[in-house]
């Protein structure tokens, strides 16, 4: 009896010492699919939704191609059902005290803990990812995320006073993603009191399982609804009237670019190849492989990239213990790729690494920042000074020093440039799903007959409207660009009327070339200003405040001509000066240190300037709104291009006279002219890092559409006026949040 | 391979610049344990292989000829014959790699192994084991006497004070003298990594020990508070690889201390396989210093063959 269990070929293994299969049983995943009769629908309002007469797509094991289940594809009415469920749930969910929401999230974490085997085998089975990664990484982090956000929810009333949940959040997930990416977004949304409708790509069972686990908790069934359907349903979800925000999620991390200093190139390449040679690929459900598969499409993508790179002159190294058949693709190192070849610019697919040499740290920084992407990067160096220099210099959302891929619920993760500007985790993640209390509910009012091609394209010509009359001195004339008043490129002017309809003065008519010049001037000033200490920035803002007070009578009289009473006009000037002082003081308190579990050493949460920030000011409060927007932008280290109030740009130009004497050239630039036209120029400028627009609903829609070109963060008012004289709306934390971006800098320590 | 004169000082200045990134090493150590496992017949075969790497050790104050004799018998017959038969491995002559004892017990061990009719080498610890805090003269004499008594492998401890004060050249000279005193016997140099203060020191000491002619570098004596750990092992294995890349010489690796379970031994095998490759997985280049590991491996084999967990009395003691 003893001998029956003995292996036939222990002898051979004894000699070869090879690895064997370590299959992870996935019977529980199959049993779960069986409970659904091998047909998955949508999970809405705590119940399975399996409408009739819907197309279905097969959910396949990416390794074998075997069909595991069929998945029903949602249609517009299913989306509407889900949104309605979320909207109903929002009423009771958002009314709960934070502590109750926290308790609910903790219960969800415990349910995940109890059913984690089902979760990890299902995820690995359908995505082909390595089960160990899902088990030890994703599932654990998912629970940590819930626990962290449960704590945030329970302190919400004190810590986030003045903010309220947005409402129903629409979440759109890409074709390949890890369920963890969904957790990063739904945890903060649920914690602050929002509810979620997630549109997952066809054939992704894990989010449905998560929704089921959440739904079966009993209370609040409709807070998380998952519908699966094609990407074409995205616009349908986004256009539902109840949806207050749409969150997107990028695809899984692709390949990598590796920059290696020339002096250590040979050594690093040798070690890299040695290590790559020991990587094992195989079925995701094997407990001893390093890499799974991401299906046939990812395999083709990698193959095409490698072939192209080869044809463009690159060398390719492939190694590792990889099953020969599709859809497995070996880990690939591409090097000696000519820098100007198309592949050197293209996005690198998984599992490919493109290595290229650099000479100095400065060059490395220029190369790394010279891409449109800005998600995350790691710096490897034994010299602390050098590593920090690079860590601070990289325009990325996350930088790890001597580490890679670490994540924690309390550390904000996000990106800049084309990696998107949304954040998850940490306090930044919470604000994504909050809005200042009292902000009007966003009614989806996308105008269908908006013509993006012609909005603000031409400037209506303006003719002389008579001589300027009124109190001297005459207002300053010109565009304030690069520290001085300049004549506009168009060499024409527009008349500004006062409240009684008389001519108040002429301002320059700015155009596309002037915007280009202003953005250039702002870029030139940017590194110097960002390098200033917060104290120095505060000093300049305070100096400007003092100058405003000295100019009080002129400013007040100009406001008077716009129909403001003298008392109120003086108060506006005084309040403007106070705003400058307040933001000067706030500039000093930026960023902080985080301590995360499992890591020795700090994580720095840095608040960095966005770069060049364009601001289109509202018509109302021509002085106060201008200053209230200028102050936080400058305090956070940005340089600005401002389009002042269209109704009365003269007050902004008055302030520019002081800016000219106090500030470095190019720090603040003011361009007057036709607001729609200038907005168009700014929104279509690729090198403007952020755009704030306070104007019409139509303009807002254009700005959002046009800014998609470089995914710059935008802030639009949709035609709603703000109470600039109130502390909350005129100088609230929202301005500070939007005026800088976060960077997480991980600094593991140890000797 | 000899290092002397300018060649030596060139190497010493290179060594002085080495930096080991501790957090990264810790992460790699964590990864490697989670990423590689073997199951079923692979596990049985690997465990039997692990047996052939064991330096079966007893280093106690109460060692006497009788328990040395028992140890030697166990070294010759590490796994019950019927279990090996069940695995069809009974003709593979599976023994442990060596027995390892104190110098005063070398004679007993040599005699016992001779009586059992086998050629398993006897290893002796030496040079003021475990602290190394005796005069150089007596340390060298200790090596010579152990070799005279028939030990063919000498596990020496290095002088930790030389590492902690950065006297690399002096350390090199001392180990050279150990090497000479060993003569034909193999020199296994114990770095006592738990007392070296940092991973950077571990790397440097590993390099010096290999340059001075050690056949093996060994993690610890088993008497320090921190013994064979994965991070330390990774640093030593990388040093071995770098030394091989630079000189073409293969130096062996021996973790010792705290390796008690069969599962641990599998992790050590896969660590060496991952970092150095299959060519290092042979008794000439890899040993595990352990005293109680063998009985746990035997229990696992018993379970693999019979499907039952062994009672304490089912397996012979060592």
């Amino acid at each position: 009896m003893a001998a029956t269990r003995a292996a036939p070929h222990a002898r051979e293994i004894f000699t070869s010492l090879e690895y064997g299969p370590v299959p992870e049983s996935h019977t529980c995943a199959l049993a779960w699919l069986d409970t659904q009769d091998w047909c998955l629908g949508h999970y809405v309002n705590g119940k399975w939704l399996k409408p009739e007469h819907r197309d279905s797509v097969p959910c396949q094991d990416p390794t074998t191609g075997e069909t595991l289940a069929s998945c029903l594809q949602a249609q517009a009415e299913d989306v509407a059902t889900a949104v309605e469920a979320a909207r109903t749930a929002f009423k009771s969910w958002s009314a709960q005290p934070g502590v109750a929401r926290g308790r609910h999230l903790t219960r969800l974490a415990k349910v995940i803990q109890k059913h984690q085997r089902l979760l990890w085998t299902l995820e690995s089975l359908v995505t082909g990812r390595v089960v160990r990664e899902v088990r030890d990484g994703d599932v654990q982090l998912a629970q940590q995320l819930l626990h962290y956000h449960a704590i945030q929810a329970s302190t919400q009333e004190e810590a986030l006073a003045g903010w309220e949940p947005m409402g129903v959040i629409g979440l759109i997930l890409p074709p390949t993603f890890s369920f963890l990416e969904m957790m990063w977004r739904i945890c903060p949304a649920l914690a602050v009191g929002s509810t979620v409708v997630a549109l997952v790509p066809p054939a992704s069972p894990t989010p449905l399982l998560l929704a089921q686990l959440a739904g079966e908790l009993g209370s609040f069934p409709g807070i998380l609804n998952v519908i699966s359907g094609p990407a074409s349903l995205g616009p349908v979800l986004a256009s539902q009237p109840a949806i207050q925000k749409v969150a997107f999620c990028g695809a899984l991390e692709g390949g990598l670019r590796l920059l290696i200093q020339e002096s250590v190139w040979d050594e690093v390449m040798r070690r890299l190849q040695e290590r790559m040679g020991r990587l094992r690929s195989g079925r995701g459900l094997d407990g001893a492989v390093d890499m799974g598969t991401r299906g046939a499409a990812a395999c083709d993508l990698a193959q095409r990239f490698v072939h192209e790179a080869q044809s463009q002159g690159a060398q390719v190294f492939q190694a590792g213990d990889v099953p020969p058949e599709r859809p497995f693709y070996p880990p690939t190192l591409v090097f000696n790729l000519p820098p100007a070849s198309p592949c050197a610019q293209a996005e690198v697919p998984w599992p490919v690494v493109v290595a290229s040499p650099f000479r100095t740290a400065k060059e490395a920084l220029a190369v790394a920042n010279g891409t449109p992407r800005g998600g995350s990067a790691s710096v490897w160096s034994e010299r602390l000074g050098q590593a920090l220099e690079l860590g601070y210099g990289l325009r990325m959302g996350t930088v790890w020093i001597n580490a890679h891929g670490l994540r924690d619920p309390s550390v904000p993760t996000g990106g800049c440039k084309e990696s998107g500007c949304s954040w998850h985790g940490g306090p930044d993640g919470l604000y994504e799903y909050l809005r200042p209390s009292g902000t009007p509910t966003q009614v989806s009012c996308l105008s269908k007959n908006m013509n993006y091609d012609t909005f603000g394209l031409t400037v209506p010509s303006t003719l002389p409207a008579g001589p300027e009359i009124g109190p001297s001195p005459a207002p300053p004339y010109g565009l304030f660009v690069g520290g001085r008043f300049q004549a506009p490129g168009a060499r024409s002017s527009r008349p500004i009327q006062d409240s009684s309809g008389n001519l108040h003065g002429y301002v320059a008519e700015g155009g596309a070339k002037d915007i280009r010049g202003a953005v250039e001037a702002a870029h030139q000033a940017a590194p110097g200003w960002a390098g200033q200490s917060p104290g120095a920035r505060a000093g300049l803002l305070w100096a400007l405040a003092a100058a405003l007070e000295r100019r009080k009578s002129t400013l007040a009289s100009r406001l008077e001509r716009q129909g403001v009473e003298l008392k109120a006009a003086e108060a506006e000037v005084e309040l403007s000066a106070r705003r400058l002082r307040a933001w000067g003081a706030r500039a000093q308190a930026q960023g902080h240190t985080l301590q995360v579990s499992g890591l020795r050493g700090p994580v720095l949460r840095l608040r960095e300037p966005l770069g060049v920030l364009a601001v289109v000011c509202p018509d109302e409060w021509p002085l106060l709104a201008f200053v209230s927007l200028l102050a936080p932008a400058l305090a956070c280290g940005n340089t600005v291009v401002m389009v002042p109030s269209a109704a009365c740009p003269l007050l902004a130009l008055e302030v520019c006279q002081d800016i000219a004497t106090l500030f470095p050239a190019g720090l603040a630039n003011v361009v007057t002219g036709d607001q729609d036209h200038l907005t168009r120029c700014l929104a279509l400028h690729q090198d403007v890092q952020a755009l704030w627009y306070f104007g019409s609903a139509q303009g807002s829609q254009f700005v959002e559409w046009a800014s998609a070109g470089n995914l710059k963060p935008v802030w639009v008012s949709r035609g709603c006026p703000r109470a600039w004289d109130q502390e909350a709306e005129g100088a609230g934390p929202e301005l500070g949040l939007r005026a800088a971006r976060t960077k997480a800098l991980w600094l593991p320590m140890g000797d | 391979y000899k290092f002397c004169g300018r060649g030596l000082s060139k190497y010493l200045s290179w060594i002085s610049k080495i930096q080991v990134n501790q957090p990264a090493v810790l992460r790699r150590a964590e990864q490697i344990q989670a990423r590689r496992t073997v199951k079923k017949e692979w596990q049985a075969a690997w465990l039997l292989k692990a047996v052939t790497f064991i330096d079966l050790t007893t280093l106690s104050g109460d060692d006497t000829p009788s328990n040395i004799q028992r140890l030697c018998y166990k070294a010759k017959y590490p796994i019950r014959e019927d279990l090996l038969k069940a695995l069809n491995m009974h003709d593979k002559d599976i023994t442990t790699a060596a027995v390892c004892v104190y110098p005063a017990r070398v004679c007993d061990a040599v005699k016992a192994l001779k009586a059992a009719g086998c050629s398993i080498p006897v290893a002796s610890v030496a040079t003021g084991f475990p602290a190394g805090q005796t005069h150089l003269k007596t340390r060298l004499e200790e090596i010579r006497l152990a070799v005279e008594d028939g030990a063919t492998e000498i596990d020496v401890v290095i002088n930790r004070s030389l590492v902690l004060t950065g006297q690399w050249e002096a350390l090199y000279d001392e180990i050279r003298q150990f090497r000479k005193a060993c003569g034909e016997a193999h020199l296994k140099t114990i770095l006592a990594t738990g007392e070296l203060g940092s991973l950077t020191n571990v790397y440097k000491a590993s390099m010096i020990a290999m340059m001075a002619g050690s056949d093996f570098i060994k993690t610890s004596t088993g008497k320090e508070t921190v013994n064979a750990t994965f991070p330390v092992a990774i640093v030593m294995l990388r040093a071995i690889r770098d030394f091989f890349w630079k000189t073409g010489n293969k130096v062996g690796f021996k973790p010792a201390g705290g390796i008690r379970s069969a599962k641990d031994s599998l992790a050590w095998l896969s660590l060496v396989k991952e970092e150095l490759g299959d060519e290092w997985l042979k008794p000439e280049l890899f040993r595990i210093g352990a005293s109680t590991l063998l009985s746990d491996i035997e229990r696992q084999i018993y379970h693999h063959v019979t499907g039952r967990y062994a009672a304490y009395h089912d397996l012979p003691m060592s």
Side-chain angles (χ1 to χ4, degrees):
Chain A
M1 177 211 159
T4 53
R5 279 172 61 96
H9 56 304
R11 286 175 76 93
E12 290 95 79
I13 305 169
F14 183 78
T15 318
S16 69
L17 272 187
E18 63 190 8
Y19 290 114
V22 189
E24 173 95 13
S25 161
H26 59 282
T27 43
C28 59
L30 295 178
W32 179 75
L33 289 171
D34 189 41
T35 63
Q36 296 301 315
D37 293 326
W38 311 95
C39 168
L40 296 169
H42 320 289
Y43 199 82
V44 172
N45 205 16
K47 290 188 292 286
W48 284 96
L49 179 67
K50 294 185 182 173
E52 289 180 358
H53 313 300
R54 296 282 187 273
D55 298 339
S56 72
V57 294
C59 169
Q60 289 170 325
D61 179 337
T63 318
T64 60
E66 173 197 359
T67 299
L68 299 167
S70 63
C71 299
L72 299 180
Q73 297 304 288
Q75 288 182 0
E77 52 187 295
D78 306 327
V79 175
T81 313
V83 172
E84 183 52 33
R87 200 179 63 83
T88 316
F90 176 70
K91 286 180 200 147
S92 58
W93 179 246
S94 59
Q96 291 295 314
V99 179
R101 282 200 301 272
R103 243 188 337 253
H104 194 77
L105 292 182
T106 310
R107 283 177 65 207
L108 180 54
K110 288 201 174 131
V111 170
I112 288 181
Q113 189 186 16
K114 285 170 194 159
H115 300 290
Q116 47 181 314
R117 171 174 285 275
L118 172 56
L119 198 58
W120 81 57
T121 46
L122 184 70
E123 171 80 355
S124 174
L125 179 66
V126 298
T127 62
R129 289 178 58 221
V130 175
V131 66
R132 172 189 46 74
E133 244 172 53
V134 182
R135 180 189 62 205
D136 302 342
D138 294 10
V139 173
Q140 307 313 317
L141 190 49
Q143 292 171 54
Q144 288 168 17
L145 276 166
L146 284 163
H147 284 299
Y148 173 82
H149 286 99
I151 295 170
Q152 303 307 308
S154 64
T155 58
Q156 186 180 0
E157 280 89 354
E158 309 93 74
L160 296 169
W163 295 81
E164 60 180 25
M166 282 186 166
V168 181
I169 308 294
L171 174 61
I172 298 175
L173 293 153
T176 55
F177 70 103
S178 136
F179 78 93
L180 197 58
E181 292 304 322
M182 183 172 115
M183 294 300 287
W184 276 104
R185 288 158 181 87
I186 61 172
C187 288
L190 295 179
V192 300
S194 294
T195 56
V196 179
V197 175
L199 172 64
V200 299
S204 24
T206 324
L208 289 165
L209 171 61
L210 270 175
Q212 188 192 358
L213 293 178
E216 285 174 357
L217 287 175
S219 36
F220 315 113
I223 56 172
L224 175 59
N225 306 281
V226 174
I227 44 178
S228 70
S232 58
L233 275 182
V236 177
L237 177 62
S239 63
Q240 295 288 320
I243 293 283
Q244 291 297 302
K245 179 188 173 111
V246 178
F248 290 94
C249 161
L252 272 179
E253 189 182 79
L256 293 174
R257 286 190 187 275
L258 193 59
L259 302 173
I260 304 169
Q261 193 152 27
E262 249 178 349
S263 54
V264 291
W265 172 268
D266 291 338
E267 188 85 346
V268 173
M269 288 300 269
R270 182 174 190 183
R271 283 162 199 272
L272 198 60
Q273 295 180 0
E274 169 85 11
R275 178 69 174 278
M276 282 172 69
R278 306 217 186 275
L279 289 176
R280 302 187 71 229
S281 293
R283 189 172 160 78
L285 282 166
D286 189 307
V289 301
D290 299 296
M291 283 171 43
T293 169
R294 290 190 185 170
C299 182
D300 291 339
L301 204 64
Q303 196 150 25
R304 217 170 318 134
F305 180 87
V306 170
H307 281 167
E308 265 170 46
Q310 260 170 330
S311 69
Q312 286 161 14
Q315 279 174 279
V316 170
F317 172 84
Q318 291 182 321
D321 180 0
V322 183
E325 71 273 10
R326 275 163 57 86
F328 292 100
Y329 197 80
T332 305
L333 178 64
V334 173
F335 54 103
N336 288 353
L337 187 62
S341 63
C343 277
Q345 313 297 322
E347 189 141 6
V348 183
W350 183 89
V352 180
V353 173
V354 174
S356 31
F358 67 87
R359 292 166 299 175
T360 62
K362 236 181 223 130
E363 188 181 46
L365 200 57
V367 173
N369 282 341
T371 74
R373 288 166 287 275
S376 56
S378 51
V379 176
W380 294 82
S381 170
E382 276 307 318
R383 271 178 283 168
L384 182 65
Q386 188 179 54
L388 283 176
E389 169 86 24
L390 287 168
Y392 273 80
L394 281 167
R395 292 177 63 82
M396 299 281 171
T398 304
V399 177
W400 298 282
I401 305 284
N402 291 334
H404 190 81
L406 307 178
R407 292 185 95 175
D408 188 271
S410 62
V411 180
T413 313
C416 50
K417 292 191 271 186
E418 288 186 17
S419 295
C421 53
S422 69
W423 288 86
H424 2 282
D428 306 70
L430 297 173
Y431 288 115
E432 292 284 323
Y433 305 99
L434 288 167
R435 60 168 168 231
S437 304
T439 314
T441 315
Q442 183 192 324
V443 256
S444 184
C445 55
L446 285 190
S447 156
K448 290 252 160 54
N449 43 29
M450 168 94 194
N451 190 338
Y452 295 114
D453 293 335
T454 55
F455 176 84
L457 189 62
T458 49
V459 184
S461 33
T462 47
L463 300 169
E468 293 171 50
I469 42 163
S472 52
Y477 177 82
L479 305 170
F480 185 71
V481 172
R484 59 197 181 84
F485 288 94
Q486 300 182 358
R491 294 288 190 272
S492 57
S493 309
R494 59 195 292 118
I496 301 297
Q497 277 145 4
D498 62 16
S499 57
S500 45
N502 296 323
L503 185 71
H504 192 168
Y506 285 100
V507 296
E509 182 76 71
K513 287 216 171 105
D514 304 305
I515 290 289
R516 190 192 66 187
V519 172
E520 243 165 52
H523 269 294
Q524 274 173 11
W529 182 240
Q532 292 278 344
S533 72
R537 286 184 216 152
L540 275 189
L541 291 176
W542 282 46
L544 185 60
L548 280 194
E549 280 162 347
R550 280 195 299 276
R551 203 178 280 276
K552 189 166 161 187
S553 62
T554 323
L555 291 167
S557 74
R558 290 239 183 265
L559 281 169
E560 255 189 303
R561 279 204 63 180
Q562 293 301 314
V564 185
E565 275 180 37
L566 181 61
K567 271 253 168 66
E570 283 179 343
E572 186 174 342
V573 178
E574 277 161 22
L575 186 54
S576 302
R578 271 214 301 285
R579 288 279 152 81
L580 285 166
R581 292 217 168 84
W583 281 108
R586 284 188 212 173
Q588 319 254 9
Q590 292 268 311
H592 57 262
T593 310
L594 301 163
Q595 190 67 56
V596 307
S597 61
L599 176 85
R600 293 196 57 223
V603 181
L604 307 184
R605 176 180 172 268
L606 308 174
R607 293 287 287 165
E608 292 191 336
L610 299 163
V612 174
L613 174 57
V615 183
V616 179
C617 297
D619 278 353
E620 71 271 15
W621 299 98
L623 175 65
L624 182 62
F626 174 80
V627 172
S628 297
L629 290 164
L630 176 74
L634 291 184
C636 292
N638 304 291
T639 54
V640 291
V641 176
M642 304 203 52
V643 177
S645 157
C648 182
L650 295 169
L651 282 139
L653 293 172
E654 288 287 350
V655 178
C656 286
Q657 293 183 318
D658 293 315
I659 293 179
T661 56
L662 291 170
F663 284 12
L667 188 53
N669 307 279
V670 175
V671 181
T672 53
D674 181 73
Q675 207 173 36
D676 285 353
H677 181 60
L678 297 177
T679 300
R680 181 184 183 90
C681 298
L682 286 169
L684 290 175
H685 200 301
Q686 295 281 91
D687 213 9
V688 168
Q689 274 72 42
L691 176 54
W692 295 353
Y693 177 82
F694 294 90
S696 64
Q698 213 193 11
S700 301
Q701 189 177 340
F702 178 83
V703 164
E704 289 191 321
W705 172 83
S707 300
N710 65 349
L711 291 181
K712 63 171 89 76
V714 294
W715 183 18
V716 295
S717 67
R718 295 179 201 289
C720 302
R722 272 175 95 87
W724 291 100
D725 55 333
Q726 300 298 310
E727 189 64 19
E729 293 196 0
E734 193 183 11
L735 285 128
L737 274 176
R738 292 186 186 267
R741 65 187 159 79
T742 305
K743 177 195 268 179
L745 185 60
W746 294 68
L747 295 167
M749 66 183 189
D751 178 35
Chain B
Y1 203 92
K2 287 245 170 64
F3 293 85
C4 50
R6 277 181 50 200
L8 176 64
S9 56
K10 202 182 92 191
Y11 263 82
L12 287 175
S13 80
W14 171 73
I15 285 171
S16 69
K17 285 194 216 117
I18 290 287
Q19 270 293 321
V20 175
N21 186 329
Q22 190 248 17
V25 172
L26 294 192
R27 260 193 313 281
R28 171 77 178 138
E30 243 170 57
Q31 265 178 11
I32 221 164
Q33 290 172 83
R35 283 190 182 183
R36 295 286 183 267
T37 46
V38 279
K39 298 274 183 227
K40 305 232 163 84
E41 46 270 60
W42 283 268
Q43 190 179 66
W46 278 53
L47 285 174
L48 288 177
K49 195 73 182 187
V51 169
T52 67
F53 296 143
I54 293 179
D55 276 3
L56 196 60
T57 304
T58 179
L59 294 169
S60 310
D62 58 1
D63 284 343
T64 62
S66 70
N67 78 313
I68 295 289
Q69 191 185 7
R70 208 162 59 215
L71 185 84
C72 291
Y73 190 81
K74 188 73 188 172
K76 167 80 173 141
Y77 303 103
I79 305 289
R80 235 169 63 178
E81 183 74 12
D82 59 325
L83 300 178
L84 289 177
K85 268 212 177 99
L87 288 164
N88 193 20
M89 296 289 287
H90 51 286
D91 56 349
K92 284 275 187 180
D93 194 23
I94 291 174
T95 67
T96 67
V99 292
C100 180
V101 295
Y102 269 124
R105 299 270 77 81
V106 170
C107 277
D108 300 333
V110 169
K111 213 190 293 170
L113 285 170
K114 204 170 190 181
C118 71
S119 55
I120 300 173
V122 174
S124 169
V125 296
T127 69
F129 184 91
Q133 298 280 21
T134 57
H135 293 294
L136 181 58
K137 202 168 166 190
T138 57
R139 281 188 272 152
L140 290 169
E141 194 58 24
E142 212 180 345
I143 296 175
R144 287 189 202 106
L145 292 173
V147 173
E148 259 176 48
D149 283 352
T152 52
E153 299 181 1
I154 305 293
D155 290 25
V156 300
V157 292
I158 62 161
N159 187 342
R160 273 81 102 187
S161 64
L162 295 179
V163 174
L164 294 171
T165 53
Q167 302 178 61
W168 303 111
E169 197 160 355
L171 180 67
Y172 174 83
D173 290 339
E174 255 193 43
I175 301 175
R176 287 292 314 167
Q177 293 187 53
F178 296 161
R179 169 77 270 176
K180 270 201 200 106
C182 282
E184 289 294 296
H186 281 180
L187 174 66
K188 289 145 87 185
T189 305
I190 305 174
L191 303 178
T193 54
E195 293 177 353
L196 295 188
S198 72
L199 292 181
T200 304
N201 275 349
V202 170
Y203 185 94
K204 292 179 178 177
S206 303
M207 266 302 164
I208 297 283
M210 287 186 286
M211 285 162 56
S214 307
D215 297 296
F216 270 84
I217 52 175
K218 176 174 167 184
T219 56
S220 27
T221 61
K223 309 283 183 191
E224 293 98 39
T225 44
V226 181
N227 291 298
T229 64
F230 266 56
V232 157
I234 286 171
V235 172
M236 291 173 70
L237 291 170
R238 294 277 169 97
I240 290 172
R241 189 180 69 181
D242 290 347
F243 188 74
F244 172 62
W245 281 355
K246 277 192 189 296
T247 68
N249 283 15
K250 289 182 185 167
V251 174
F253 173 64
K254 177 177 174 186
I259 304 170
R260 294 198 181 84
S261 71
K263 199 174 166 217
D264 285 350
S265 69
L266 293 177
W268 282 97
L269 256 66
S270 56
L271 177 68
V272 172
K273 186 177 166 79
E274 290 297 309
E275 289 291 328
L276 293 175
D278 290 343
E279 48 203 305
W280 255 265
L281 285 174
K282 50 189 180 188
E284 296 82 55
L285 288 172
F286 179 53
R287 298 286 178 84
I288 300 173
S291 44
T292 55
L293 169 66
L294 182 55
S295 54
D296 193 53
I297 291 183
E298 203 177 3
R299 290 170 69 83
Q300 293 304 321
I301 300 273
Y302 182 95
H303 177 245
H304 175 77
V305 170
T306 65
R308 294 153 186 264
Y309 289 104
Y312 181 69
H313 56 256
D314 280 331
L315 301 166
M317 66 183 286
S318 59

